[in-house]
Amino acid sequence: MKKVGHAYHKGVGPKVGMQTQRYKDKLKYAKKLSTSRSTSWTFGGSASVSWGIGKIEAKTDYNVTKKTTTGYTVTATLTIPKKSYGAIQPKARYQKFSIKRYISDEACHTRVLKNYGTMGAIVDPVDFRTCVSRRHCSP
């Protein structure tokens, strides 16, 4: 089992943005999470999702979330400099993992015995993504 690529994000709540003028200001976020996200196989998937999560947690320091929860309020604050635009959005942070079973022969050559697939695992169910720019931006 190995980590594949960089983390990626999917929104779990609405984006909120604000334009400042002459003074810096604080954008306060307090919204209910509205979108549910799930850990799932992105390629293959010849085993249950729970089995894949168990393999990831046993071999890494990640705590994987099977499914995000909706309906509760999350809060955050972003300071935006004068004459700038700022935005904030809660997102689930995913990491992909390739899960394979290997076997070694007498000559110590290793080969793949079974490729279970690639899992997109939620490693942080609420990760506030922000952006600050002179123009509109997307977190």
Side-chain angles (χ1 to χ4, degrees):
M1 196 259 326
K2 72 175 187 174
K3 194 165 110 171
V4 178
H6 297 286
Y8 60 99
H9 298 81
K10 292 183 180 181
V12 292
K15 174 181 120 175
V16 174
M18 179 174 125
Q19 179 75 43
T20 61
Q21 297 302 323
R22 297 176 63 196
Y23 306 101
K24 76 176 181 177
D25 205 346
K26 288 187 187 258
L27 172 60
K28 294 181 180 171
Y29 189 99
K31 299 275 184 195
K32 282 189 177 185
L33 295 182
S34 56
T35 304
S36 181
R37 300 288 181 186
S38 298
T39 289
S40 62
W41 293 102
T42 59
F43 170 78
S46 58
S48 74
V49 170
S50 295
W51 178 87
I53 289 171
K55 288 291 182 190
I56 293 167
E57 290 182 337
K59 303 262 184 191
T60 69
D61 290 334
Y62 289 104
N63 290 317
V64 177
T65 300
K66 188 172 185 178
K67 186 175 182 179
T68 63
T69 306
T70 61
Y72 69 95
T73 301
V74 292
T75 60
T77 304
L78 175 66
T79 301
I80 305 169
K82 67 181 180 177
K83 296 183 181 177
S84 296
Y85 177 83
I88 189 165
Q89 183 179 16
K91 295 187 174 187
R93 181 165 44 107
Y94 284 80
Q95 179 63 57
K96 284 187 180 180
F97 294 90
S98 174
I99 303 174
K100 298 176 182 177
R101 186 172 175 198
Y102 297 90
I103 190 168
S104 296
D105 60 21
E106 301 82 30
C108 293
H109 296 108
T110 304
R111 66 180 175 88
V112 175
L113 181 64
K114 175 134 176 107
N115 183 355
Y116 291 98
T118 303
M119 178 168 275
I122 299 172
V123 295
D124 189 350
V126 181
D127 182 19
F128 280 99
R129 307 301 295 169
T130 62
C131 66
V132 174
S133 177
R134 294 285 181 192
R135 298 184 179 151
H136 281 266
C137 56
S138 249

